[in-house]
Amino acid sequence: MELYSLTIHEIAKKIKSKEVTIREVLDSVYSRIDSLENKVNAYINLTKEYAYISADKLQKKLDAGEDIGFLGGVPIAIKDNMCIKDVKTTCGSRMLENFVAPYDATVIERLELAGAIIIGKTNMDEFAMGSSTESSYFKKTVNPWDITKVPGGSSGGSAASVSCDMAFAALGSDTGGSIRQPASYCSTVGLKPTYGLVSRFGLVAFASSLDQIGPFTKDVTDMAIMLNAIVGHDEKDTTSVNLDKIDYTKYLINDAKNITIGIPREFLKEGLNPDVKEAFDIAIDKLIKLGAKVIDVNLDYIKYSLATYYIIATAEASSNLGRYDGIKYGYRTDKFDNLLDIYKKSRTEGFGEEVKRRIMLGTYVLSSGYYDAYYKKAQKVRTLIINDFKRVFEECDIIALPTAPNTAFKMGEKNLNPLEMYLEDIYTVPVNIAGLPGISVPCGFCHFNMPIGLQFISSAFEEEKLLQLAYTYEQNTEFHKMKPNI
Ligand code: GLN
């Protein structure tokens, strides 16, 4: 068994007991990257030099008998929209091609405090806008399960890297599904935490009322470990909540008996791929056998989620991306006549098509003539969706849904029709709109062998319930053990 194919809990043990050195672990994962990266294109930048310096420091500490943290020496990848001091943070955009971050994101500080080693920055849709990682300015990441297909997005590089052992875990960001959907397409575990649980200081903003950072891992145990590392109050992020810290690994309990699962069946009809539906039904049967109680629930307003999301997300994006003007930092055009010309040309040349589409849409829904009709209305519907979830969580502990309506699609297949691409988020966006946590776990394969994900959603700040159910499901199935044949 190669070191790179182990989980965090396995490798951390081997490092601590000195069965392997941290350098050996890094060598193993970088050699895996060397052999696969030209096929998979998961990374925008590797941070090799920095990683080996950290490895040697940690090894010295370990050899001196000091504590190196529960992630001591574990190699982790980071989506390229999170800042690492003195490392490029491109956001998959020409606009930030040469931007070197002057500080660390809080999640980076926390991972390093727990002993993790950052090995590289992963590819993503430009400014996290997309569901396929095809809108990156730099490269197209492929799905390790079938290299003619997309890995999902926008955190496609993170999902692909974890699924084929090019990282032990990775961080992604999820504004409307960008962790859970690629996790489902690539057969990894992916968690979008409750809004406010994980600091976003140092995450490049896309849609601030929806963005959340979360991990991709090889199994649910690793997810609890990663969550332990990154949660917690941060005064640098005003949306970060101040709650008592809990140890999520305590909730890795193989028992579904006291859990009631609600299924919004109305939502499982139109547009749902039959293979995904079948895998979902089989998974629910399994959970019933494991003792969970399953009931039908109604989420009446959820059908408006996608429309609501694409108004709110684009509105916020248009405002957040206003800062890229060719003056303060980022790309600046070479030839210009005056100030207005700098703005125009820098933005025209620096942003890709999807980003421009969103800026225009967002500017439109915020414009004085249309604000009431679109933006304000969307905010009202948002409240209805939030209330809908609140009502349903009085009847059940967890809502179960497929993570995405389909399995990974062919590269280029949905590029010409953005609406079709947006539909891939139908089961994930309601969760962001309501600020709730959601996890995706592998639950099967379609008839041409592409992975399928099962999603669990809970009330805010009940990640421990998600982990317990996900763990129970995982312990009684084999899907998480399957690896792509690449
Ligand atoms: N695919 C969705 C979008 O394009 C979600 C993106 C995300 O979660 N960052 O907006």
Side-chain angles (χ1 to χ4, degrees):
M1 178 77 90
E2 299 286 347
L3 293 179
Y4 59 69
S5 63
L6 300 177
T7 58
I8 293 180
H9 50 101
E10 290 163 341
I11 200 72
K13 230 188 257 159
K14 284 194 193 295
I15 293 172
K16 270 189 202 121
S17 65
K18 303 208 186 144
E19 195 184 323
V20 296
T21 65
I22 300 174
R23 259 189 181 262
E24 279 164 354
V25 177
L26 262 192
D27 287 346
S28 170
V29 80
Y30 275 127
S31 75
R32 179 72 172 165
I33 293 174
D34 282 346
S35 68
L36 288 184
E37 177 59 7
N38 58 357
K39 240 198 241 173
V40 181
N41 283 325
Y43 287 91
I44 292 181
N45 261 315
L46 294 174
T47 48
K48 245 184 185 171
E49 205 178 314
Y50 173 76
Y52 277 100
I53 293 172
S54 311
D56 291 343
K57 271 194 206 150
L58 284 162
Q59 190 70 50
K60 241 193 203 156
K61 264 178 114 179
L62 182 67
D63 293 343
E66 287 173 46
D67 180 22
I68 57 167
F70 57 89
L71 286 175
V74 177
I76 301 221
I78 306 291
K79 184 177 182 178
D80 206 15
N81 58 353
M82 288 170 234
C83 292
I84 303 180
K85 192 173 184 320
D86 299 332
V87 173
K88 273 188 193 174
T89 298
T90 70
C91 258
S93 181
R94 183 182 194 194
M95 186 56 89
L96 292 177
E97 187 174 9
N98 296 310
F99 171 67
V100 175
Y103 57 85
D104 278 331
T106 298
V107 285
I108 302 298
E109 280 176 7
R110 298 220 161 128
L111 283 176
E112 291 187 333
L113 201 67
I117 298 182
I118 311 298
I119 52 171
K121 306 289 297 285
T122 56
N123 196 24
M124 55 182 282
D125 279 304
E126 186 176 6
F127 283 100
M129 298 173 188
S131 307
S132 67
T133 314
E134 291 166 294
S135 76
S136 166
Y137 171 67
F138 302 100
K139 48 175 78 167
K140 293 194 192 341
T141 303
V142 304
N143 191 312
W145 291 86
D146 176 347
I147 60 170
T148 66
K149 296 201 166 132
V150 302
S154 63
S155 317
S158 289
S161 68
V162 174
S163 84
C164 61
D165 297 321
M166 287 158 59
F168 284 82
L171 288 187
S173 64
D174 190 313
T175 305
S178 281
I179 293 174
R180 290 158 290 152
Q181 183 255 24
S184 135
Y185 280 12
C186 294
S187 205
T188 74
V189 181
L191 175 84
K192 181 246 163 221
T194 307
Y195 188 76
L197 187 70
V198 176
S199 166
R200 299 166 310 156
F201 177 76
L203 168 73
V204 179
F206 161 11
S208 312
S209 77
L210 303 158
D211 296 340
Q212 190 50 243
I213 293 174
F216 289 87
T217 57
K218 296 181 188 179
D219 66 13
V220 178
T221 302
D222 282 2
M223 184 56 78
I225 296 172
M226 284 293 283
L227 207 53
N228 274 352
I230 61 173
V231 300
H233 180 61
D234 178 14
E235 14 178 82
K236 294 192 214 132
D237 175 354
T238 50
T239 62
S240 147
V241 292
N242 200 349
L243 295 174
D244 286 342
K245 257 196 156 185
I246 59 177
D247 176 0
Y248 290 101
T249 60
K250 291 220 170 86
Y251 297 89
L252 300 172
I253 305 166
N254 186 354
D255 182 8
K257 278 198 264 327
N258 45 17
I259 299 181
T260 304
I261 302 173
I263 302 183
R265 294 212 188 265
E266 276 306 303
F267 200 38
L268 296 176
K269 291 181 180 155
E270 218 180 313
L272 179 58
N273 173 311
D275 286 0
V276 177
K277 173 80 168 62
E278 193 185 333
F280 178 77
D281 288 341
I282 294 173
I284 298 300
D285 282 346
K286 181 95 203 175
L287 289 163
I288 294 174
K289 286 204 187 86
L290 291 168
K293 189 174 157 209
V294 172
I295 60 168
D296 286 358
V297 293
N298 267 327
L299 284 161
D300 303 326
Y301 293 102
I302 205 170
K303 55 177 177 287
Y304 302 117
S305 298
L306 211 57
T308 306
Y309 171 82
Y310 275 96
I311 291 174
I312 294 175
T314 55
E316 292 180 14
S318 72
S319 151
N320 274 327
L321 271 58
R323 71 190 67 171
Y324 306 105
D325 56 5
I327 300 287
K328 299 184 197 78
Y329 57 97
Y331 176 81
R332 179 183 300 172
T333 187
D334 290 337
K335 295 184 208 79
F336 51 86
D337 294 331
N338 52 43
L339 184 64
L340 197 62
D341 213 31
I342 295 187
Y343 293 159
K344 269 196 196 159
K345 287 195 181 135
S346 302
R347 286 169 73 81
T348 303
E349 294 158 20
F351 288 137
E353 208 175 295
E354 183 60 25
V355 173
K356 285 181 198 156
R357 185 174 7 252
R358 306 239 182 160
I359 292 175
M360 287 194 287
L361 201 59
T363 310
Y364 178 79
V365 299
L366 286 177
S367 60
S368 61
Y370 295 100
Y371 180 91
D372 284 345
Y374 295 110
Y375 186 71
K376 204 165 161 198
K377 189 132 175 213
Q379 291 292 16
K380 288 184 178 164
V381 179
R382 182 175 197 172
T383 305
L384 294 175
I385 295 170
I386 293 172
N387 291 341
D388 235 7
F389 273 113
K390 275 197 190 134
R391 180 180 47 75
V392 165
F393 280 125
E394 281 168 15
E395 301 164 34
C396 65
D397 304 296
I398 303 274
I399 294 171
L401 279 172
T403 307
N406 291 297
T407 54
F409 47 91
K410 287 258 184 225
M411 306 268 255
E413 190 184 319
K414 297 192 194 250
N415 272 348
L416 295 177
N417 186 345
L419 267 186
E420 249 184 54
M421 183 89 82
Y422 297 172
L423 278 170
E424 286 305 299
D425 304 330
I426 189 135
Y427 295 128
T428 48
V429 293
V431 175
N432 302 70
I433 288 181
L436 303 175
I439 192 167
S440 177
V441 288
C443 79
F445 295 86
C446 68
H447 67 278
F448 38 81
N449 218 25
M450 293 307 286
I452 298 173
L454 169 66
Q455 181 180 210
F456 298 135
I457 303 159
S458 73
S459 281
F461 306 109
E462 292 196 335
E463 275 75 2
E464 62 274 19
K465 275 194 195 163
L466 290 184
L467 290 169
Q468 179 175 340
L469 192 62
Y471 182 75
T472 304
Y473 180 74
E474 183 185 85
Q475 290 302 300
N476 292 282
T477 49
E478 298 291 316
F479 304 115
H480 66 289
K481 293 186 186 150
M482 318 274 203
K483 299 261 171 135
N485 190 4
I486 183 165

